Amino acid sequence: MANGVSGYALATALAFIASAPAVFAQSAPAQDVLTNNGNAQALCQPQVIGNRRIPKESVLARLFSRQGDLYDPQIVERDFNSLWNTGYFENIRIERVDTPACVQMVIYVQEKPTIREINYTGLNAVSQSDVLERFKKAKVGLTVESQYDPTRIKKAENALRDLLSEHGHQFAIIKTEVKTIPPAAVAVTFRIKEGPTVKVGKIVFDGNDNLSDRTLRASMRNLKPIGIPHSIILENLFARTFDASKLDEDAERVRGAYRDRGYFKAQTAEPITKVRDAGGINIFTMQPSKGKRIDILMPVEEGERYRLGGITFKGNKAVTNLRILRAQFAQKDGEWFNTTVFGKGLEQLRKAYGELGYINFVGSPVPRFDEAKHLIYLDIDIDEGKPFYVSRIEFTGNSITRDKVIRRELMLEEGQVYNSRLWDLSILRLNQLSYFEPLKVEQDSENRLDADNGTVDLLLKLKEKGKNSIGLNGGVSGLSGSFVGLNYETNNFLGLGETLSVVANIGDLSRNLTFGFTEPYLRNKPISLGVQVFDSKYDYNPAKSYSASGASANLSAAQSSQLTNYNQSTKGVTTSVSRPIRHLFARSGVTRVGVSYSLSRSSISTFNDNTRNVFQSLAFRSGVAGQNQLNGIVNSVISPSFTFSSLDRGVGPHNGKDFNLAVQIAGAGGNVKYIQPALSYRQFFPMKGLRVNREGHNVLGYRVQIAHVNGFGGEVAPPTSRVYGGGESDIRGFDIRSASPYVFIPNRVLFNLTNPDGSLVPRDPSNPTLGNVQIPLPLYRLVSVGGDTSITSNVEYRIPIVNQVTFAFFTDFNMTFNTMKSQLEQTAAGYSSVESPLYGCPTIVNGSCFGGVSFDGQNGHPAPFAKTLQTVPGSNYVPRMSSGAELQVILPIVNAPFRLFYAYNPLRLYKDLPQQLALPLNAPAGTTTFRDLFPTTGAGLFSYQQAVQYYGAAYQLREPRKTFRLSVSTTF
């Protein structure tokens, strides 16, 4: 139908043009353009017949003939061509009707029908949305409610055929059916037979004497098989879909592989393809392979191999120092010539000239060959152009942010020589503010050159983010447990760049109220000043961190009792000041130095005896030991810091790196003294060039973090400041603060003296109210107090799914350990409370035994407790690792990252740790043993056996093998 319409319309047009004089002659036989009295005939108002959707006025507007003009057949021909070229009509006919007063032109038109439906039958390999996207990319112009055009149908068929070819259906057959829908519409149906799936078969090369097939095949990014690179036997796991349009690209990459190894003149001939049935057995399904395979034979001509003889320059007037120009190229003379490395050198040379204002710099390399020595020389003809000066810097889209807030982040000023590096760095600084949607130099900045005057106007196109954020947040996290909160934040207060925030959270493990204000430019100087007032309360209780029911799926009750569990209530204020250092590492990022001061007061409530002993025993605070150790902890901390960042955005970076170094120094006031340095390094790489990710939306990121703490001035670091491992902020597969070394802490325990029949030995059988006999025993209990040093590394491969939804694969590593025995020293009072008393009840007089001294005056036994807490062997220097996958969703109202992740822990602590008793079970004669603490009676022997069973058994530490969890937080 399509061919018939176009052929009929063209025939009609040619027939009219050929017969127009004859037609008009029949109406006026005497003369063509004259009336009977010899005067020229004028035109009447033209008449339009047959139009439906297109108004009559639109048709008349296309005519060159006007009412009152003299009739002219050539102008009528132009009218016909003008109407035909609109593409609105499939048939046009113009007739002349003579009247006594004028010549009437009657225009008959037949409009092209409107497309009411577009259907696809037999389409399975791709979705209709993929088809529409391809139509848009190919500019087909075929949509519902558009005019039917046979030419567009053919373009649509070709685009659809190319799309199917890319998905392995090179033999697809497409037929188009057009059904008329009265009165003036059609339905278009593409009937598709996709045919067999075509995959790439064998890829072999002919003529490659110096490079192996494996090496050349690996360079074919589009068509090489999917597998594990360089694994030899696992490189060919999955065949790729054959796409003929990508074969030329891969042929060029093969030539590039040769040229990167010195074979500069290497060439590839037209690849030879052969179609065959797949055949064989699929190793994954163990079924016969189906479909088609295309084997590729690529002839190559290697040529000679060349070393770099030298690089020379000519035309360089602004930069006459040839060493500086040569330094832009990393490859040294005498090395095998590498085209890719040389290309990077050319780009580096362009950037170097761009820093001097030479925007129009062009470097054209011309190769010369010494065939006898197999050397290649590159003569670079430099066209520097002229240096450009910045005339104006303008902004669009900043309806809230004032111009001065933007200008103070720019490294370029008007009137200055244009510097491409400084402009790139300016964009980076603006992105780090998070006031705007991420800016890209190529897309969001525009250079308007005035070559005559040597000036450039810079236009920056901004799109502001919402500066006010008022939202509800909540969820479950390792530190806060189940929580809900309200927050308000403005990151661009009054358009001046100030940040004002108020956060209020409450949950089963936490309560936090914070007010903060930051002025980024103090008195119009690049000095940032911040103030934060806070009142917080946290329950550091891993057993409840992830469960509303109050029990962790990963920790038993016994394990929970071995962790340092306490509640900390803190009030305080923090002030900070920082400023950028523009000339330090300024070529690649933003450097800042700063210092902050924090003054806080804390009180501690412990959840178990082990934790209470930790706080009362460790010498972390000046003043009186004992119960006072848990209250009135005043922390006065000065923290100098150094940061460097080249991240392309503040939240969710895709490219760049940052380095942070901060040192907390407590002791300028307060009653605790410690130094806590922390170092963190992050880097992110956009994964460009992958077949499924050409634009680099996927991101590979990693972080390395080192932390250390130690006290000074005769004191140790407080337990609240020691380093704890575990949790979604460092190693996801472990509970919060649970992946840390353990220590033995001394305890004084009263043990009931028990008869062999299980009854307790009373102090006075005639007076039961006096109770039973209790023997004081010196024991060590297992407890985690964190470490003094921690090393953490994280690797993530992030895949954006849709807006605000990201999927990631991750691997986390952490090792938290003790390196300094002095940091576990006990206070004199705390040590005396367990070391001074005598232990045991060697004899019983009148049924009583108190404090290890019997009534007959016989002493008990001293306990040889160590002055320093001992790290448990086998729990220190234990590496932990988690690997898994994570789904992250940032909800717009809650404004927090909800994360659902699964983690498998290949490295963990999973062993039995032997108990350590203060006295040995067996020892040479004359040495006090644990047995000596009990009477020699039958009750004493039975009680001894019970005590050994209760307190001498090994501790079973069973960290989880896998974890599946919902959390609200970030790792890095």
Side-chain angles (χ1 to χ4, degrees):
M1 175 178 176
N3 293 335
V5 171
S6 59
Y8 174 76
L10 181 60
T12 303
L14 295 177
F16 172 80
I17 294 172
S19 62
V23 172
F24 290 119
Q26 293 175 3
S27 300
Q31 293 180 349
D32 266 348
V33 297
L34 299 180
T35 61
N36 293 333
N37 57 12
N39 296 325
Q41 289 182 315
L43 294 174
C44 306
Q45 176 69 20
Q47 184 179 2
V48 180
I49 298 176
N51 60 306
R52 292 177 177 271
R53 292 188 308 107
I54 302 173
K56 170 185 175 182
E57 291 74 13
S58 298
V59 177
L60 297 178
R62 290 283 184 173
L63 302 179
F64 293 94
S65 301
R66 295 290 183 266
Q67 183 178 2
D69 292 347
L70 295 179
Y71 171 77
D72 187 339
Q74 294 183 353
I75 296 179
V76 175
E77 182 179 342
R78 291 180 62 190
D79 292 339
F80 177 87
N81 292 332
S82 177
L83 292 175
W84 182 257
N85 291 335
T86 61
Y88 298 155
F89 310 105
E90 62 180 3
N91 195 6
I92 302 173
R93 182 164 53 92
I94 302 178
E95 293 185 358
R96 166 184 169 176
V97 177
D98 290 334
T99 65
C102 57
V103 174
Q104 176 75 53
M105 290 175 56
V106 182
I107 304 172
Y108 296 92
V109 297
Q110 183 180 352
E111 296 177 355
K112 290 182 178 179
T114 302
I115 298 176
R116 289 283 183 256
E117 298 178 9
I118 301 178
N119 303 309
Y120 305 88
T121 61
L123 184 65
N124 299 310
V126 296
S127 65
Q128 290 192 21
S129 60
D130 294 331
V131 173
L132 296 178
E133 184 67 25
R134 177 55 60 94
F135 283 176
K136 182 179 179 181
K137 184 177 181 181
K139 299 180 180 180
V140 172
L142 184 68
T143 60
V144 175
E145 298 302 324
S146 65
Q147 286 188 328
Y148 173 78
D149 187 340
T151 303
R152 293 180 180 178
I153 297 296
K154 290 300 181 184
K155 290 181 63 177
E157 290 178 356
N158 293 334
L160 187 55
R161 191 173 288 108
D162 291 342
L163 180 62
L164 290 172
S165 176
E166 293 176 11
H167 287 76
H169 296 276
Q170 281 76 13
F171 302 102
I173 299 174
I174 303 173
K175 293 183 179 180
T176 306
E177 293 182 0
V178 181
K179 180 180 179 181
T180 302
I181 302 177
V186 295
V188 178
T189 301
F190 294 97
R191 298 197 177 277
I192 304 163
K193 292 183 179 180
E194 293 182 340
T197 302
V198 180
K199 298 284 187 178
V200 178
K202 298 178 181 179
I203 303 177
V204 295
F205 302 86
D206 182 27
N208 55 318
D209 298 326
N210 297 295
L211 295 185
S212 66
D213 283 12
R214 282 183 61 232
T215 300
L216 299 179
R217 193 182 301 115
S219 67
M220 299 175 65
R221 186 179 300 166
N222 294 319
L223 303 180
K224 69 179 179 181
I226 299 173
I228 303 175
H230 310 297
S231 60
I232 302 178
I233 62 174
L234 298 178
E235 289 182 338
N236 187 5
L237 295 178
F238 304 98
R240 290 191 186 268
T241 300
F242 179 77
D243 184 355
S245 65
K246 303 296 184 182
L247 186 54
D248 289 341
E249 293 182 12
D250 276 350
E252 180 59 35
R253 292 190 177 96
V254 170
R255 288 191 288 271
Y258 270 105
R259 292 170 182 175
D260 287 346
R261 293 166 173 81
Y263 297 93
F264 186 79
K265 294 184 178 181
Q267 295 293 331
T268 58
E270 183 70 23
I272 302 172
T273 59
K274 181 180 179 181
V275 182
R276 60 176 173 84
D277 293 329
I281 300 297
N282 188 309
I283 62 174
F284 295 99
T285 63
M286 301 305 296
Q287 298 292 327
S289 298
K290 299 180 180 179
K292 296 288 185 179
R293 295 292 185 268
I294 291 186
D295 295 334
I296 302 173
L297 172 62
M298 187 177 296
V300 298
E301 183 179 343
E302 294 180 331
E304 297 293 338
R305 195 178 188 187
Y306 296 90
R307 296 182 183 272
L308 179 61
I311 301 176
T312 60
F313 306 89
K314 64 178 181 179
N316 53 307
K317 300 177 182 178
V319 181
T320 57
N321 190 329
L322 297 181
R323 289 187 177 181
I324 294 178
L325 298 178
R326 182 62 178 86
Q328 308 305 314
F329 297 84
Q331 194 168 22
K332 298 179 180 179
D333 295 352
E335 296 179 348
W336 295 116
F337 180 73
N338 188 309
T339 304
T340 300
V341 174
F342 179 77
K344 292 180 179 179
L346 276 179
E347 177 63 18
Q348 189 63 32
L349 185 63
R350 185 191 65 80
K351 291 182 178 180
Y353 265 94
E355 294 180 19
L356 301 176
Y358 292 90
I359 299 177
N360 293 330
F361 165 85
V362 176
S364 303
V366 178
R368 289 186 292 110
F369 297 92
D370 185 339
E371 299 294 352
K373 298 181 179 179
H374 295 110
L375 296 176
I376 180 174
Y377 296 87
L378 277 303
D379 301 325
I380 300 179
D381 188 4
I382 295 177
D383 182 4
E384 296 175 334
K386 64 170 65 175
F388 283 81
Y389 291 80
V390 179
S391 176
R392 292 181 59 83
I393 302 178
E394 299 176 337
F395 316 103
T396 62
N398 57 316
S399 58
I400 298 174
T401 309
R402 303 186 187 184
D403 279 7
K404 72 174 185 178
V405 175
I406 303 171
R407 290 187 183 276
R408 68 194 184 193
E409 300 298 332
L410 301 182
M411 307 294 287
L412 276 177
E413 297 179 358
E414 294 171 347
Q416 182 180 345
V417 174
Y418 176 79
N419 187 315
S420 58
R421 178 181 57 82
L422 294 182
W423 184 243
D424 292 346
L425 188 57
S426 300
I427 301 297
L428 174 65
R429 289 166 60 92
L430 288 173
N431 281 333
Q432 292 178 351
L433 293 177
S434 294
Y435 297 165
F436 313 102
E437 296 296 333
L439 299 168
K440 296 183 179 179
V441 177
E442 301 82 5
Q443 298 178 4
D444 300 309
S445 67
E446 183 179 324
N447 298 345
R448 300 172 179 172
L449 302 180
D450 184 346
D452 294 335
N453 297 318
T455 60
V456 56
D457 294 338
L458 302 177
L459 175 63
L460 192 57
K461 303 172 185 177
L462 307 167
K463 184 178 180 181
E464 290 179 318
K465 293 181 178 179
K467 71 183 185 72
N468 294 322
S469 172
I470 303 175
L472 170 71
N473 59 34
V476 180
S477 74
L479 183 61
S480 301
S482 302
F483 68 96
V484 65
L486 293 170
N487 65 77
Y488 167 79
E489 180 176 359
T490 172
N491 63 356
N492 194 2
F493 188 56
L494 299 179
L496 297 173
E498 295 97 339
T499 299
L500 177 68
S501 65
V502 179
V503 178
N505 292 330
I506 187 170
D508 60 343
L509 295 182
S510 66
R511 184 196 69 215
N512 181 34
L513 179 62
T514 303
F515 172 82
F517 178 81
T518 302
E519 169 57 65
Y521 265 71
L522 184 63
R523 301 180 65 87
N524 291 324
K525 294 182 179 180
I527 299 176
S528 175
L529 176 66
V531 179
Q532 187 180 70
V533 181
F534 58 90
D535 183 353
S536 64
K537 182 179 180 181
Y538 285 97
D539 287 356
Y540 295 98
N541 187 355
K544 294 178 60 179
S545 295
Y546 301 98
S547 176
S549 64
S552 171
N554 290 337
L555 294 175
S556 65
Q559 288 176 283
S560 298
S561 67
Q562 295 160 5
L563 301 179
T564 307
N565 301 329
Y566 60 93
N567 173 287
Q568 181 178 13
S569 180
T570 306
K571 297 180 180 179
V573 60
T574 299
T575 61
S576 60
V577 61
S578 66
R579 69 164 298 151
I581 304 178
R582 295 206 170 200
H583 302 294
L584 185 61
F585 306 122
R587 296 181 64 87
S588 55
V590 180
T591 306
R592 298 188 74 91
V593 294
V595 63
S596 66
Y597 174 75
S598 176
L599 180 63
S600 63
R601 183 181 182 89
S602 302
S603 60
I604 305 294
S605 299
T606 59
F607 297 156
N608 54 52
D609 292 338
N610 282 349
T611 304
R612 185 178 300 107
N613 289 338
V614 168
F615 278 92
Q616 294 179 354
S617 297
L618 286 180
F620 71 87
R621 175 185 169 193
S622 58
V624 181
Q627 292 291 337
N628 289 333
Q629 289 284 59
L630 305 181
N631 296 295
I633 302 174
V634 180
N635 204 357
S636 176
V637 182
I638 297 176
S639 302
S641 62
F642 172 88
T643 64
F644 165 81
S645 177
S646 63
L647 300 181
D648 58 351
R649 61 190 72 176
V651 179
H654 283 66
N655 194 7
K657 57 190 174 184
D658 71 349
F659 172 84
N660 295 274
L661 174 63
V663 181
Q664 294 186 20
I665 305 173
N671 51 24
V672 294
K673 297 178 181 179
Y674 64 89
I675 298 177
Q676 188 171 23
L679 180 150
S680 176
Y681 179 82
R682 298 186 299 165
Q683 190 163 7
F684 299 88
F685 306 90
M687 303 305 291
K688 296 182 179 180
L690 299 180
R691 181 176 176 84
V692 296
N693 185 39
R694 296 281 186 201
E695 302 301 323
H697 297 302
N698 296 358
V699 177
L700 176 66
Y702 72 90
R703 177 186 69 169
V704 177
Q705 184 172 274
I706 301 174
H708 177 75
V709 63
N710 66 276
F712 63 91
E715 299 177 14
V716 303
T720 56
S721 298
R722 291 181 64 82
V723 184
Y724 295 85
E728 60 268 24
S729 63
D730 48 45
I731 182 165
R732 274 160 269 206
F734 297 81
D735 283 354
I736 185 75
R737 299 163 63 93
S738 67
S740 303
Y742 292 84
V743 300
F744 283 124
I745 187 167
N747 276 261
R748 182 176 182 270
V749 177
L750 296 177
F751 189 78
N752 292 321
L753 185 63
T754 308
N755 291 310
D757 61 2
S759 62
L760 301 179
V761 177
R763 291 173 55 189
D764 186 353
S766 64
N767 187 4
T769 59
L770 295 179
N772 53 286
V773 178
Q774 292 182 319
I775 302 176
L777 300 180
L779 298 173
Y780 284 107
R781 303 301 292 164
L782 191 72
V783 64
S784 171
V785 296
D788 56 44
T789 305
S790 176
I791 299 175
T792 302
S793 64
N794 311 93
V795 178
E796 278 191 5
Y797 185 82
R798 301 173 181 174
I799 306 171
I801 306 300
V802 295
N803 189 29
Q804 305 298 328
V805 179
T806 302
F807 183 80
F809 296 99
F810 66 83
T811 294
D812 302 329
F813 174 86
N814 173 267
M815 188 162 65
T816 302
F817 49 91
N818 288 318
T819 60
M820 306 176 68
K821 293 182 178 180
S822 62
Q823 289 305 298
L824 294 173
E825 183 179 357
Q826 300 183 76
T827 63
Y831 177 66
S832 177
S833 65
V834 294
E835 189 270 342
S836 297
L838 297 178
Y839 293 87
C841 192
T843 60
I844 300 176
V845 178
N846 296 326
S848 299
C849 179
F850 301 103
V853 181
S854 63
F855 282 115
D856 62 354
Q858 183 177 349
N859 293 326
H861 300 280
F865 287 123
K867 181 66 181 296
T868 301
L869 302 183
Q870 302 298 313
T871 302
V872 179
S875 71
N876 205 18
Y877 300 102
V878 176
R880 275 93 168 179
M881 177 181 287
S882 290
S883 298
E886 172 179 300
L887 182 68
Q888 183 181 108
V889 181
I890 300 180
L891 300 181
I893 298 177
V894 178
N895 197 28
F898 277 72
R899 302 161 61 194
L900 186 68
F901 62 84
Y902 171 84
Y904 176 81
N905 305 325
L907 299 179
R908 56 180 178 146
L909 179 61
Y910 194 89
K911 62 173 59 177
D912 295 342
L913 297 180
Q915 172 63 282
Q916 179 177 342
L917 299 174
L919 294 173
L921 294 178
N922 300 297
T927 303
T928 302
T929 65
F930 193 71
R931 176 66 182 85
D932 296 333
L933 302 178
F934 295 84
T936 57
T937 63
L941 177 60
F942 181 77
S943 298
Y944 163 73
Q945 293 172 343
Q946 277 191 319
V948 171
Q949 181 179 358
Y950 291 160
Y951 301 120
Y955 288 99
Q956 293 184 342
L957 297 182
R958 303 290 187 262
E959 291 179 345
R961 173 64 74 183
K962 56 187 177 182
T963 298
F964 184 71
R965 180 164 292 156
L966 171 68
S967 180
V968 180
S969 60
T970 58
T971 300
F972 72 101

